[in-house]
Amino acid sequence: MTTAIAEALSLENSVKAQAYGLGFDLVGITSLGPMEAADAFDSWIESGYAGEMDYLLRGSAKRRDSSLPVPGATSAIVVGLNYGGREPSGPVARYARGDDYHDVMTARLDELHRWLESEAGHPIRGKGYVDTGPILERDLARRAGLGWFGKNTNLVNPRIGSFFFIGVLLVDVDLASDAPFEADRCGSCTRCLDACPTDAFVEPRVLDATKCISYLTIEAKGAIPPEQREKIGGLVYGCDICQDVCPWNVRFSQDIREESFRRRDILDGDARAVARRILSMDDDSFRRDFKGSPMKRAKRRGLARNAATVLGNVGTANDVATLVAALDDPEPLVAEHAAWALEALAG
């Protein structure tokens, strides 16, 4: 057998071909062990930049050593799935407009795991992770050659930009690692840092999440700080600004291909239309309209809080009645932000 044929039939190449066949846009392989970014992550936590995200404190030992979450695992198959950076900007971040990416990607990683077991002819210990465990996925992705850490903290790939999800499949199979991505291709560009409305970047590659619009509209459970409310503008859920301005996305981001990530009808229209629709929901309609959506994370009270804030920023006299009705919302948090919005419109 020639070297070329042997290479073509290698398990690593077969794994990658199968991953691409499942619809993933990027795939790389790396070994497990101590993580280079662990010290920086711990320092970030200690600085208070994680805000209310206490769950990030759990499993620190496993984050520091990626071989610990799955005993016996030695390799990580790291994948990326594009979610449509060419879609128009809007009141909801692109990643959250369709079905929950956790469900979509986990199902495909499970399928890749089953295929690997079938190829091996025996059970293989392994587990897929999509932003749900003590794993530094971004670090593994860089080690697997998928991209570099941009100044906005997102992983940037030179072929498709940064509008993609990262998933990892940890397995107890010894696979040859790809070369890590060593280059920093941001250069002297600071467009992402300069564009942030809330000045959330402490320095390049260091984000104070407590100032980030994505954090304020998704992770924060209480009131949005008054000094940040105007800066949210028309953003109901999440923020893409630091990605929108990145030259790598301007040039290389991809059209949406995954049907399950396409925008739901409930999110049609501009910021005012979406905000009014959300403020009119009760718990039952919220559960119905956002079933299987990542936007459930904010719960109805969080989305309604955001919607009221948005109407205070971009609303008109035609939105006063909606906000007045929200003053009687059963959630005091929503009523508080509706009152703020009415004062903002009056001003």
Side-chain angles (χ1 to χ4, degrees):
M1 181 181 293
T2 67
T3 302
I5 294 176
E7 180 180 343
L9 297 178
S10 72
L11 180 57
E12 290 80 7
N13 283 340
S14 296
V15 165
K16 292 178 182 179
Q18 185 68 15
Y20 286 127
L22 289 171
F24 292 117
D25 297 280
L26 303 171
V27 58
I29 297 170
T30 189
S31 59
L32 301 179
M35 303 301 294
E36 292 90 338
D39 287 342
F41 184 85
D42 288 344
S43 176
W44 181 77
I45 293 285
E46 291 168 4
S47 297
Y49 296 146
E52 300 174 27
M53 296 184 287
D54 295 337
Y55 59 86
L56 294 177
L57 298 172
R58 300 194 294 267
S60 60
K62 293 180 179 179
R63 268 196 305 273
R64 298 190 70 85
D65 187 340
S66 56
S67 67
L68 297 180
V70 178
T74 57
S75 301
I77 303 167
V78 189
V79 297
L81 182 59
N82 157 57
Y83 58 85
R86 292 288 179 190
E87 293 294 294
S89 60
V92 174
R94 292 172 181 82
Y95 87 89
R97 297 173 183 175
D99 293 343
D100 195 327
Y101 66 95
H102 299 95
D103 299 334
V104 174
M105 292 193 68
T106 299
R108 293 187 186 179
L109 288 173
D110 289 345
E111 190 171 346
L112 182 61
H113 186 188
R114 289 192 295 270
W115 171 87
L116 190 57
E117 290 183 316
S118 176
E119 286 293 293
H122 59 78
I124 290 175
R125 187 177 301 168
K127 184 175 181 180
Y129 288 90
V130 184
D131 191 29
T132 52
I135 306 291
L136 296 177
E137 290 104 330
R138 188 187 59 157
D139 202 1
L140 286 173
R142 185 200 63 79
R143 285 169 53 164
L146 300 193
W148 75 96
F149 296 173
K151 291 180 181 178
N152 62 5
T153 75
N154 287 286
L155 192 81
V156 186
N157 178 273
R159 291 193 294 107
I160 66 172
S162 65
F163 285 102
F164 62 91
F165 301 118
I166 300 173
V168 300
L169 176 61
L170 307 185
V171 293
D172 66 344
V173 178
D174 290 328
L175 298 171
S177 296
D178 291 301
F181 204 105
E182 302 286 7
D184 172 10
R185 299 192 183 178
C186 289
S188 61
C189 178
T190 60
R191 293 183 190 181
C192 59
L193 310 181
D194 300 335
C196 180
T198 58
D199 295 320
F201 293 102
V202 179
E203 59 184 83
R205 301 180 178 86
V206 179
L207 174 73
D208 181 350
T210 65
K211 295 181 180 179
C212 176
I213 292 175
S214 288
Y215 172 89
L216 294 171
T217 58
I218 301 172
E219 297 290 346
K221 306 309 179 188
I224 298 171
E227 67 273 14
Q228 300 287 19
R229 294 178 189 178
E230 288 186 14
K231 299 175 184 178
I232 287 174
L235 297 175
V236 173
Y237 188 94
C239 178
D240 284 331
I241 291 173
C242 68
Q243 294 196 86
D244 284 334
V245 300
C246 175
W248 291 93
N249 284 325
V250 171
R251 185 172 182 184
F252 296 114
S253 62
Q254 305 287 302
D255 292 326
I256 194 168
R257 294 189 299 106
E258 178 58 51
E259 289 298 318
S260 59
F261 294 154
R262 294 197 182 277
R263 185 182 63 197
R264 295 183 174 206
D265 292 343
I266 193 69
L267 301 178
D268 285 348
D270 61 12
R272 289 178 58 225
V274 172
R276 288 198 303 270
R277 206 171 291 136
I278 289 172
L279 272 178
S280 70
M281 290 180 175
D282 57 19
D283 288 334
D284 289 338
S285 58
F286 169 77
R287 284 191 292 268
R288 181 187 66 246
D289 291 332
F290 289 104
K291 182 180 180 180
S293 164
M295 292 180 68
K296 291 187 305 181
R297 183 170 183 81
K299 298 184 170 53
R300 188 199 71 86
R301 68 192 296 268
L303 278 184
R305 170 202 62 187
N306 301 343
T309 305
V310 163
L311 289 182
N313 291 328
V314 303
T316 70
N318 293 330
D319 301 308
V320 169
T322 300
L323 290 168
V324 169
L327 294 175
D328 294 324
D329 193 278
E331 290 285 353
L333 180 71
V334 178
E336 174 194 342
H337 286 71
W340 174 87
L342 287 166
E343 289 183 9
L345 289 181

